[in-house]
Amino acid sequence: MERTLILLKPDCVQRRLSGKIISRFEDKGLNIVALKMLQVTPELAKQHYAEHVAKPFYPGLEAFITASPVVAMVLEGLEVIRVVREMLGATSGLKATAGTIRGDYSNSRQMNLVHASDGPEAAAREIGLYFKANEVCPYTPCLTPWMKADDE
Ligand code: CMP
């Protein structure tokens, strides 16, 4: 089992799309093992987006991500990092394929609704930024025997 950090960004919360997006992850069969709403501070934004801080678009990205609350989640599942990024589609909603989350709901590169970790190291680092260890609540869903074979 793998874990990934998801942020439903301010545009997602403001557009009342959080429920629809969470449903897509649940419908796919992924486990939500942590979830909370919070206000991202400029300090947290700089830590989260450390690799982008020096880029020209960073000031706009920080202003956007701190403008309104976000919903942070940890999702758990087989190959969940890749699976979720494929569900999201390309970074820009203008380029994302129809049927993906961004392809269906976003027309923007910055306001692309959802952040998802891009690899195992990023996932571990980002989960640690948003959640204390005791805020992650693993469990075995009772539907597990109907979601995948035992040897998968
Ligand atoms: P995210 O997956 O959260 O990771 C970094 C974010 O920066 C990205 O989604 C976009 O919201 C934003 N981003 C990436 N590239 C650009 C860009 N060229 N201009 C503006 N925002 C960008």
Side-chain angles (χ1 to χ4, degrees):
M1 280 291 173
E2 204 174 57
R3 289 179 181 172
T4 190
L5 187 278
I6 303 295
L7 287 188
L8 305 183
K9 297 184 186 182
D11 54 332
C12 186
V13 174
Q14 289 284 351
R15 291 175 57 194
R16 276 98 168 107
L17 290 171
S18 302
K20 283 198 177 84
I21 307 295
I22 290 170
S23 286
R24 287 177 73 139
F25 295 139
E26 289 191 313
D27 290 347
K28 175 70 175 167
L30 303 173
N31 286 352
I32 300 170
V33 295
L35 186 148
K36 67 179 164 191
M37 180 174 259
L38 71 145
Q39 179 72 46
V40 175
T41 62
E43 294 70 32
L44 178 55
K46 286 183 185 73
Q47 288 180 284
H48 179 164
Y49 287 126
E51 65 182 302
H52 298 306
V53 165
K55 295 185 182 165
F57 65 81
Y58 181 76
L61 175 60
E62 183 181 294
F64 161 58
I65 204 75
T66 60
S68 186
V70 302
V71 174
M73 284 187 281
V74 179
L75 293 182
E76 191 177 73
L78 293 174
E79 300 180 44
V80 70
I81 294 170
R82 177 189 59 76
V83 166
V84 166
R85 286 182 68 86
E86 288 179 6
M87 289 176 73
L88 295 188
T91 298
S92 169
L94 288 171
K95 304 227 167 80
T97 308
T100 64
I101 290 169
R102 291 171 179 151
D104 287 352
Y105 294 112
S106 166
N107 288 293
S108 166
R109 193 168 50 183
Q110 182 181 82
M111 299 197 186
N112 60 1
L113 298 167
V114 186
H115 167 82
S117 309
D118 64 5
E121 282 166 26
R125 188 179 74 80
E126 293 172 6
I127 290 168
L129 280 178
Y130 285 87
F131 292 96
K132 299 184 187 116
N134 67 2
E135 291 177 318
V136 180
C137 310
Y139 62 97
T140 304
C142 58
L143 284 173
T144 299
W146 298 102
M147 301 296 285
K148 64 177 188 63
D150 287 343
D151 61 355
E152 284 186 284

